[in-house]
Amino acid sequence: MCELCPQACRLVEGQSGICRARRNDGGDLATLNYGEVSALALDPIEKKPLRNYYPGSMILSMGSWGCNLSCRFCQNWRIAQNRPPVNKMTARELVELAGQARADGNIGLAYTYAEPLVCYEFVKECAELCRAAGLKNVLVSNGYINKEPLLALAPLLDAANIDLKGWTDGFYYTMCGGSLEPVKENIKLLADYCHVEVTTLIIPGHNDSAKEMAGLAAWLANIDMGIPLHVNRYFPCYKLAAEATPREKLYELEAVAKNFLTNVYTGNI
């Protein structure tokens, strides 16, 4: 059984888990995407999105492939739900590139694009080398991981943006193939270790009620009223053909969230 995330995949010989990136090889768990980089770019930190962490800086952003959720609305499905072309890189090579990019305003390395935590071992190796080099570690994740591995990684993180995809377990189950509670627990855990921001993609007819936004924002405020919340616009993608989120709906939900939180931003406008 893979013990990395709440999916708890039980794998027979040669079988891969839901994430497709971890396989039973002769009784050992092999990480198939270890060191496989599908995307690498020097991005503004605000693109992660992180609005209140070193604003105006750049971050070297790397992604691999795979995801342990199966969101019907996945915005990065080409690398998260498929196996794209990759370049093989070592953790040391990535950290050296991040160091060289300091001259361009880079502050560290971001693990992003696809779900980075399904390549947990590689992310942790990079994070250890970044910390030793005086660089920042930024995690952009769905937050769907078990407590024990997250506790081993959290002290190496400087900032994280977690996708809180909705506010009901029904939404997580039917739209994402997962459950809500582990994500909530991990947001609380990370808030004790690093700067945390949260993103919710608003999908018309699915997670766009004022009542749900009020519940989500009130829960975040109970952790810290200053946690930035990004209320982002959805565009039709992957397996879901819902209409793009009306701008008016975003502004409505932004106003609801501001009743509880001091830092609320709309995105993808």
Side-chain angles (χ1 to χ4, degrees):
M1 186 176 75
C2 179
E3 298 180 340
L4 179 66
C5 87
Q7 299 289 11
C9 295
R10 293 183 177 273
L11 309 174
V12 299
E13 169 66 27
Q15 185 181 17
S16 298
I18 289 171
C19 68
R20 299 174 297 108
R22 307 175 74 78
R23 184 177 66 202
N24 179 350
D25 281 355
D28 294 323
L29 193 66
T31 306
L32 304 181
N33 58 358
Y34 191 95
E36 294 195 348
V37 178
S38 68
L40 186 66
L42 189 62
D43 288 333
I45 195 77
E46 290 83 1
K47 191 177 177 182
K48 296 305 95 191
L50 289 170
R51 285 286 296 270
N52 291 13
Y53 184 76
Y54 287 85
S57 64
M58 306 294 285
I59 190 86
L60 185 64
S61 303
M62 64 80 62
S64 185
W65 55 270
C67 186
N68 53 354
L69 293 179
S70 52
C71 300
R72 293 172 55 197
F73 50 89
C74 182
Q75 304 289 288
N76 289 319
W77 63 271
R78 289 174 179 83
I79 60 173
Q81 307 297 335
N82 289 324
R83 192 162 181 171
V86 298
N87 292 313
K88 292 287 289 185
M89 297 185 71
T90 67
R92 192 165 300 279
E93 286 171 337
L94 276 170
V95 174
E96 286 175 355
L97 281 177
Q100 292 166 11
R102 278 176 161 141
D104 298 311
N106 181 46
I107 62 170
L109 195 57
Y111 314 100
T112 180
Y113 303 136
E115 175 48 52
L117 292 178
V118 301
C119 192
Y120 175 86
E121 294 83 359
F122 188 67
V123 168
K124 189 168 184 289
E125 183 181 355
C126 289
E128 289 168 346
L129 292 173
C130 270
R131 180 58 57 86
L135 294 163
K136 304 297 185 184
N137 286 302
V138 170
L139 177 70
V140 182
S141 170
N142 62 26
Y144 210 60
I145 185 173
N146 286 335
K147 181 178 180 179
E148 292 75 13
L150 186 58
L151 278 171
L153 180 64
L156 297 168
L157 299 176
D158 298 288
N161 185 294
I162 303 300
D163 284 331
L164 185 51
K165 297 177 183 293
W167 192 240
T168 67
D169 215 48
F171 179 87
Y172 261 86
Y173 180 77
T174 60
M175 299 291 287
C176 306
S179 55
L180 171 62
E181 198 60 31
V183 183
K184 291 169 60 179
E185 290 302 313
N186 288 335
I187 289 172
K188 287 196 293 184
L189 187 158
L190 286 170
D192 288 333
Y193 285 91
C194 67
H195 175 86
V196 171
E197 303 194 14
V198 171
T199 297
T200 299
L201 189 70
I202 303 301
I203 305 172
H206 293 279
N207 66 346
D208 62 343
S209 74
K211 180 179 179 181
E212 288 181 43
M213 178 54 67
L216 186 157
W219 178 81
L220 282 176
N222 193 50
I223 301 172
D224 183 347
M225 289 179 61
I227 290 179
L229 173 64
H230 300 262
V231 182
N232 281 5
R233 191 181 189 198
Y234 160 85
F235 290 94
C237 199
Y238 196 39
K239 296 180 178 180
L240 188 65
E243 64 173 331
T245 318
R247 290 181 177 86
E248 295 75 15
K249 173 59 72 171
L250 284 187
Y251 299 141
E252 173 195 331
L253 297 182
E254 176 190 30
V256 170
K258 282 183 173 178
N259 290 322
F260 305 93
L261 298 167
T262 55
N263 299 298
V264 183
Y265 309 100
T266 53
N268 293 351
I269 299 295

